[in-house]
Structure formats: C-alpha cells, structure tokens
Amino acid sequence: MLRAVLWDMDGTLVDSEKVWAAVQLRLIPELGGTWTDEDSLGLLGSDLRDAAQVWLAALPAGVITAEELASRIFTEVVEELRREVEFMPGALELLQGLRKAEIPCGLVSASYRVMIEAVLGHLPADPFDVIIAGDEVTNGKPHPEPYLAAAAKLGVDPADCVVIEDSPTGTAAGTAAGAYVVAVPHFVPIPEAPRRLVVRSLEAVTPESLRELLR
C-alpha cells in the first residue's frame, strides 16, 4: 500500500532551478570565473556543500572561500524565492489531492531549511507532515539518507513510499532508499528503470494513480 509521498522541492514542487541558474550565471562571472547553462545543469539536485566546491573550481584561486561563495549564492536565491515562486505544472493540485486523501507527505530537499521556509511561505499552513532539509543530514542526495530519514520520521517503510523527483541525483537517492520513483525530468533526461515512472509533468498524476503504482 501507498504509505507516503515524498517530494523533492527544487524543480519538482517549484520552478526554482531557473533562479539558481540565474544567480550562478550572474555571480560567478562577477568574481572572475566562467560559468554556463550546462554547468548549472550539471549541479541539478546537488547538495549545497558539493556544489560550492564546483563553483570554487570555476574561479581564480584565492578570490573567495567555498563557504563565502555558497553563502552569497544561497542568500541571493532565498531573497528571490521570498519575493515570488512559480509552482511546477500539476504540483499544487497533486499535493492538495494527497492531503484530501489523507496520504502523508514529506518534503525532502537538498536546499537548506531557510530556503524551504521561503518557499513554504507561498503555501497554506503545514502542507507537509515532515521536512528533511539539506543542512539537516550528513549525506545529501544521491545518498539515500534524506529519503530514509523522511520515511523513518513518518514511521513507514521506504518501499511503501513514492518519491517525486526531477533530477538524476534525486532519482538515484529515491531508488537507493528503496522507494518507487516518479521522475519528472525538465532539463536532464532520466531513463526508465524498475520501480520508476517517467512522466512529462504532474498534471495527469493523481493520488489514485500513485496508489496503483504500488499495487
């Protein structure tokens, strides 16, 4: 039976990947580095600590520390998300349907808690039963720890959960945790695989169709 649905945030619930990309494309050249759209795509779903090392490698030596760079990019993205967010097609409708059907939902994001709160400010109160933030785990995606932690907090077996993801990194994390993954790729292709459904958007996904995946 379907015991819970575990949501990724960036690129799955909200279209924040373009905000991340815009900040990177602006800030890294300002600091003397070179950055492209392809570089941004390569970091989809990555833990902030891992991304900071990639950003730092694109800059001249000694310009800034990894911690300072991560803080600057992170702060600018949070400010943008506090102002406005754009939800992915079908995401809000599916989330509302799951809440109405009383299916527990968790938010499992590589983003840090303050960024998650910026996004949640645009949603009705308490849309998720548990939240696992990127700064609250030891190992970020593609490691299964974030999804295992969410399932444990909900008191459910990961095999009875559906994970909704948009990136290969997040999809790998959900699969490694043992969940059924619904992948909604937007920028980077995600191949078909066992216990994985690849869809073009969440517009045709319903609570009942998610239940059927585990039957």
Side-chain angles (χ1 to χ4, degrees):
M1 291 180 62
L2 176 61
R3 299 295 186 185
V5 176
L6 308 177
W7 291 74
D8 172 54
M9 186 177 79
D10 297 297
T12 301
L13 178 64
V14 295
D15 191 4
S16 51
E17 299 292 5
K18 65 182 181 183
V19 179
W20 277 101
V23 172
Q24 293 170 63
L25 287 167
R26 180 176 68 251
L27 184 57
I28 293 177
E30 285 180 3
L31 294 171
T34 301
W35 198 255
T36 66
D37 288 328
E38 288 71 26
D39 293 324
S40 296
L41 290 177
L43 292 178
L44 286 179
S46 296
D47 181 81
L48 182 62
R49 292 159 291 193
D50 297 332
Q53 297 302 321
V54 178
W55 296 328
L56 192 65
L59 296 175
V63 171
I64 192 172
T65 68
E67 293 77 14
E68 291 168 339
L69 179 57
S71 179
R72 285 190 61 179
I73 290 179
F74 180 78
T75 298
E76 291 193 25
V77 172
V78 170
E79 289 174 353
E80 291 289 337
L81 293 177
R82 282 196 178 121
R83 282 192 286 269
E84 182 181 13
V85 298
E86 180 180 341
F87 290 96
M88 299 302 296
L92 270 183
E93 292 80 3
L94 177 57
L95 180 59
Q96 291 165 350
L98 291 167
R99 304 309 287 170
K100 185 176 181 180
E102 299 183 344
I103 298 173
C105 288
L107 186 65
V108 182
S109 177
S111 292
Y112 286 9
R113 175 69 65 159
V114 65
M115 182 172 293
I116 292 173
E117 290 175 351
V119 170
L120 294 183
H122 301 277
L123 283 166
D126 301 321
F128 296 99
D129 298 282
V130 301
I131 296 173
I132 303 295
D135 54 338
E136 298 169 352
V137 295
T138 301
N139 302 291
K141 303 172 186 180
H143 196 280
E145 180 186 343
Y147 282 114
L148 292 175
K153 279 194 171 185
L154 288 168
V156 298
D157 188 329
D160 296 329
C161 297
V162 169
V163 162
I164 305 179
E165 274 281 358
D166 75 302
S167 71
T169 301
T171 298
T175 297
Y180 198 111
V181 178
V182 173
V184 196
H186 300 291
F187 301 107
V188 180
I190 298 174
E192 299 280 355
R195 286 180 61 82
R196 180 184 303 170
L197 173 67
V198 181
V199 298
R200 295 183 64 179
S201 83
L202 293 176
E203 292 173 285
V205 179
T206 65
E208 185 57 31
S209 69
L210 295 182
R211 285 193 178 104
E212 286 295 330
L213 293 176
L214 299 185
R215 284 176 181 159

